[in-house]
Amino acid sequence: MNFSNLIKIAYEAIMRNKTRSLLTMLGVIIGISSVIAMVSLGQSSTQNINQEISSMGTNLIMVMRANQRRGGVSMGNSNSQTLTIKDCEAIKKRCKNVDLVSPSVSTSGQLVRGNENWPSTLQGGNTDFLKIRKYDIARGTMFTEKDIKEYKKVCLVGETIIENLFADGSDPIGQEIRIGSTPFKIIGVLESKGENQMGQDQDDIVIAPYSTIMKRLLATQYIHMIYCSALNEDLCDIAVEEIEAVLRTNHRLQDDAENDFNVRTQKEMLTMMNSVTGFLTILLAAIASISLFVGGIGIMNIMYVTVTERTKEIGLRTAIGARGKDIMYQFLLESSMLSLVGGLIGIIFGLLISYLATKLLGWPFIISTASVFLSFIVCAATGIFFGWYPAKKAANLDPITALRYE
């Protein structure tokens, strides 16, 4: 029996029971579409995170306070007092591969204007802060070095602040808002940046001179963080070494002493986030592939039923000259066709789900050709693997017994 006849017979057998065939393929459809959707969404989220982190500047370096430890237990870094303005000045003066440096202090509180109020974050920096953090001014001006030295109560606000405190449409430039009991004059409005990869609103921010926040709000001489930018991305590692050396000298640390600060770069954050999202993608794809295995068992179950139902047909074909391998190929072909057609439908559904999900989330749509190709191979393997035993059983049926089967 030639191959074209086998395809024709297999097709007719499948079409005779359309509903059963569709239900048989359903497990494969769900499994394949789930795997493709999970892989595609995983890659899309990875690229989205990379774009978000890169938008902050690939040459960004962050110096943070080290965690405090008591009895070998980490107590966090919220009360750690290790970074000072002198550290910023030393980095700016002695680190040749560092371009910009800004101290950073922050606090949260209730912003008040008239009868309106809004909880937000107040961020303090110097005149380089906006350049390092990639913020642009939509209108107004940036505070000056003079404002920093004189502890001026001036600030720049994000669009979220304007939407909640200036809903009447008035121009915020020149107006005052209170943070606690301290009034701040708005001198600039920041360009909108939207949410970051963690879902945080980047426009819900107030930026003021770090000296004003330290003296008038926090009453401290210590800063929370130092933001730096290397001359370029390739010099980040060298810049980190220079910063560590300068701070260890400034803090008078012995050679065998641990750093009382932490230095992080965007490259490290990218590597860490890619590792996490890659692991989650593999985990979700593995979970989704379970449904594909269940779909394969469904194909095997239906093929067993089919062999039983068509026992007399198998005996008749054998009686008129069909060989055992022809019978086996026929049933193998049926199971493979069910699996492949289900796989193709699953691929289409998987890509459609990925497209709709990425558009809804605002992520880039990525088609993983490797996962599509692999899914197609897996479909063929599923049909052959789970269809082989029922096909073998059909091929080994005794023709006389089969003819007498009712």
Side-chain angles (χ1 to χ4, degrees):
M1 186 178 294
N2 58 41
F3 189 69
S4 60
N5 284 336
L6 286 175
I7 293 178
K8 184 179 179 181
I9 294 169
Y11 174 76
E12 290 174 350
I14 291 172
M15 295 306 292
R16 274 199 301 268
N17 298 283
K18 296 185 182 68
T19 303
R20 187 169 70 182
S21 298
L22 181 60
L23 292 174
T24 303
M25 291 187 292
L26 193 58
V28 176
I29 293 171
I30 294 173
I32 292 296
S33 60
S34 299
V35 171
I36 289 179
M38 289 301 101
V39 172
S40 179
L41 289 174
Q43 293 182 343
S44 296
S45 66
T46 299
Q47 183 167 323
N48 181 63
I49 290 171
N50 288 346
Q51 289 174 352
E52 289 284 352
I53 294 178
S54 296
S55 69
M56 295 172 61
T58 54
N59 59 343
L60 177 65
I61 302 171
M62 294 161 287
V63 184
M64 296 168 284
R65 301 173 294 182
N67 290 341
Q68 289 183 322
R69 290 183 174 274
R70 292 180 184 174
V73 178
S74 176
M75 306 298 293
N77 62 3
S78 59
N79 296 317
S80 178
Q81 297 179 337
T82 57
L83 300 177
T84 65
I85 298 300
K86 289 183 179 179
D87 291 331
C88 295
E89 294 170 351
I91 292 172
K92 181 68 175 176
K93 183 178 180 180
R94 294 158 54 187
C95 296
K96 297 180 180 179
N97 292 290
V98 173
D99 183 24
L100 302 172
V101 180
S102 174
S104 174
V105 289
S106 62
T107 184
S108 59
Q110 201 76 8
L111 308 181
V112 180
R113 174 189 173 255
N115 295 326
E116 305 291 338
N117 64 86
W118 180 254
S120 187
T121 300
L122 184 64
Q123 186 80 49
N126 64 10
T127 54
D128 291 331
F129 183 83
L130 296 188
K131 294 179 183 177
I132 297 173
R133 294 299 310 275
K134 304 298 181 183
Y135 277 101
D136 295 314
I137 299 176
R139 57 188 188 277
T141 59
M142 179 62 172
F143 49 79
T144 63
E145 288 290 344
K146 183 180 178 182
D147 294 330
I148 295 174
K149 291 178 181 178
E150 296 178 357
Y151 314 108
K152 286 289 184 68
K153 293 176 284 187
V154 294
C155 67
L156 296 90
V157 296
E159 287 292 338
T160 300
I161 307 299
I162 297 173
E163 291 173 4
N164 288 278
L165 295 185
F166 296 88
D168 56 3
S170 61
D171 187 0
I173 303 295
Q175 297 200 45
E176 284 190 351
I177 57 174
R178 282 188 295 109
I179 300 166
S181 59
T182 307
F184 278 78
K185 181 181 178 181
I186 299 174
I187 61 173
V189 176
L190 300 170
E191 287 277 4
S192 178
K193 294 185 71 172
E195 292 185 350
N196 61 15
Q197 72 275 7
M198 305 302 292
Q200 182 181 4
D201 186 2
Q202 298 179 95
D203 299 325
D204 189 5
I205 189 172
V206 178
I207 299 176
Y210 71 86
S211 58
T212 306
I213 297 176
M214 290 174 67
K215 181 177 181 180
R216 299 185 184 276
L217 296 180
L218 299 178
T220 181
Q221 296 179 349
Y222 296 93
I223 59 178
H224 299 158
M225 186 182 295
I226 302 173
Y227 284 108
C228 309
S229 62
L231 292 174
N232 57 61
E233 184 180 354
D234 296 332
L235 296 174
C236 271
D237 293 337
I238 299 175
V240 168
E241 293 176 2
E242 291 178 344
I243 291 170
E244 288 183 346
V246 167
L247 291 183
R248 287 186 66 85
T249 300
N250 258 31
H251 296 181
R252 296 185 175 89
L253 298 177
Q254 299 296 326
D255 292 341
D256 58 346
E258 292 184 0
N259 290 339
D260 58 358
F261 56 89
N262 295 315
V263 184
R264 296 287 182 266
T265 66
Q266 291 292 73
K267 290 169 65 177
E268 290 177 347
M269 291 179 64
L270 282 171
T271 301
M272 179 184 69
M273 293 302 294
N274 287 342
S275 176
V276 172
T277 54
F279 173 76
L280 289 177
T281 299
I282 293 172
L283 179 63
L284 291 173
I287 294 172
S289 64
I290 294 174
S291 60
L292 181 60
F293 181 77
V294 173
I297 295 175
I299 289 177
M300 178 184 284
N301 184 45
I302 292 300
M303 293 310 297
Y304 264 121
V305 173
T306 302
V307 169
T308 304
E309 287 180 347
R310 295 163 61 186
T311 300
K312 195 165 186 177
E313 176 191 334
I314 294 169
L316 183 60
R317 290 186 185 281
T318 306
I320 61 175
R323 296 167 296 177
K325 66 177 183 179
D326 293 327
I327 302 297
M328 186 173 72
Y329 290 158
Q330 176 188 335
F331 283 92
L332 263 181
L333 195 58
E334 286 183 28
S335 64
S336 297
M337 286 177 68
L338 286 171
S339 182
L340 287 173
V341 172
L344 290 173
I345 297 173
I347 288 171
I348 294 170
F349 270 104
L351 294 176
L352 181 61
I353 292 169
S354 301
Y355 177 77
L356 294 176
T358 52
K359 288 300 179 184
L360 183 64
L361 296 169
W363 295 353
F365 175 56
I366 299 176
I367 298 176
S368 175
T369 53
S371 66
V372 172
F373 178 76
L374 184 61
S375 297
F376 191 79
I377 298 299
V378 168
C379 286
T382 300
I384 294 171
F385 179 78
F386 288 100
W388 179 83
Y389 193 76
K392 187 70 174 176
K393 179 184 177 183
N396 291 335
L397 283 176
D398 180 61
I400 297 175
T401 304
L403 285 169
R404 289 187 303 190
Y405 182 82
E406 293 294 338

